[in-house]
Amino acid sequence: MARKLLMLMHEMNERLQQESAKELLQFDVVLITTDSQQQQQSSSIISSTKHHGLEISRFCFANEEDFVESLQTNNVQLFLTSDKSEASQATQKGVLSALLDHQEASPPSDQLRIMFCEDAIIQPDTGPTPANREAIQGFAAQLGEIRRRFSLADSPLCFILVTAHGSKDSCASSLLTLRSSGISVDEAYCLAGAPRDPIMPLLQPHFTIRISFSDLEE
Amino acid sequence: MSEIKPIESAPTEDSAEETDWAAAKAFFDSLKTEKPRPPKPRYAVTIAVSSRTLFNMVEERKIYEEEGLEKYVAHQVEHESEPLKPGAAFPFVKALMTVNTRLRALYPDSEELFDIVLMTNNHAQVGVRLINSINHYDLTIERFCMTGGKSPIGYLKAYMTNLYLSKDSEKVTEAIEEGIAAATMFMPDTETQLSDTQLRVAFDGDAVLFSDESEIIVKKHGLDTFFQHEKQFENKPLAQGPLKCFLEALGKLQRKFYAKNERMNCPIRTFLVTARSAASSGARVLKTLRSWGLEIDEALFLAGAPKGPLLQKIRPHIFFDDQMFHIEGAKELGTISAHVPYGIGQKYNRGKLIEQPEKKE
């Protein structure tokens, strides 16, 4: 799953380079691991990634207590993990995180699909707390800039907004908030309480950034 | 064909669905407005409308076709605070809302209502103008899918759609092939005054409510054979057509009014408008409906006379027919028509077989 993601980012970097030789915006991937066993095999990890043709610019071996600091020193803007507690820890210290889920429907390999999802209820055990507008600010601006290098149709990058419970007006307001943060959403779905299980497999995101822009308490 | 949804709750459905539902309910209850919250999809009659049927986007469409996608989206964004004009499905949607108001008054806790979903493959940035327009007219549409170019068919199924209306006949054909009732909408040439207290829906019979089996006989063997055949098989029910389940869904809601003694004042009225004649081929149709347990309020047998003038008198919010000949006739005289691209009628134009080139895949 993560491997496909890396390959997609690599392809996107190539395309960006093609568009303009002076392109400064790129996806830069850092691999971080806190698993001590894996750290002992560090050389084999590095050679393994090379073997699979994965472009990783930096490797980082940290321990569980201070891995967030490593994220921060490496200026990581988005931390992807399948570990819920790691994601939560990172978010708490101000690093935007997203969970890589194991999905039945595998996402497409020719388009990186990033989903922004807004739920009205926050379930404590489902991962990091949703990001508010400030948290995604810097990341959104740059990501949106990358998207703008490509055309509206046939883009290798696609942004999806899903609001699970709110009304159409709260979805519209999130659309506009994302737009003013630099992200021009391509696809939008307002479920307003309709069951999400039939819809999610159709959306095929590579990962989901949970957001919370509206104030739910009146 | 699309199945009617169950009335009893399915106990095996997972709690995730319930959690999502409860969260949405809490959200809407907390809103300060009087806005009614959308019904639970499992029990609702879900009508999916495309953006071009809900609103008149003819001028905008021209920009898309002549200047391309980027200019089109930029234009829509630039004008996003200007509401769009109503489209062909607009009166139908308003009539659905009227029925919902009456249903909520009689059954305040029921989820058996019309649920209107905007299903468009427009880009989400165009969506802002669509949402603003929906608010301008105060339409109760809370759910939408803006697929940014992808086919909406998968989403139609995911939303348990009972009827899909679009301007794009390819999408409509695809939906029908997937078992979803669907029709391509046409704006009438003149405007007609329609009821604002009663939803009026007119259906053609063959290849709309019923299968096209009898139409095949007419086309291949002529009218006389057709009459003989229908008399002979008078008591054998016809197979169902693509819109049968939608009529069934309307009937279910009608019965809710009858149960509260509102038959005389029912805000839903259905019409059968068929070229069949009552004497020679009408009985089979009525018996088929009866065998399905369905009622239709008025059955009009035209024996081949044009449908346009009669529809002018009926003034339905929507008229479904499988033959473009009838659609054009209805449209000319001010009836909002919806073409159902199903059955053998698609291969003919005004009684003559159309020479079709092989369809390229």
Side-chain angles (χ1 to χ4, degrees), chain B residues 326-356:
Chain B
H326 290 301
I327 297 285
E328 274 150 24
K331 188 170 163 293
E332 268 164 43
L333 294 179
T335 297
I336 303 172
S337 318
H339 179 233
V340 183
Y342 170 78
I344 196 151
Q346 309 320 305
K347 301 200 177 72
Y348 286 79
N349 184 18
R350 294 172 188 269
K352 293 209 176 65
L353 183 63
I354 304 171
E355 293 302 322
Q356 291 275 18

Side-chain angles (χ1 to χ4, degrees), chain A residues 103-118:
Chain A
Q103 297 165 50
E104 307 100 43
S106 48
S109 52
D110 57 352
Q111 185 184 65
L112 176 59
R113 295 169 67 75
I114 301 179
M115 181 156 87
F116 295 89
C117 182
E118 185 159 22

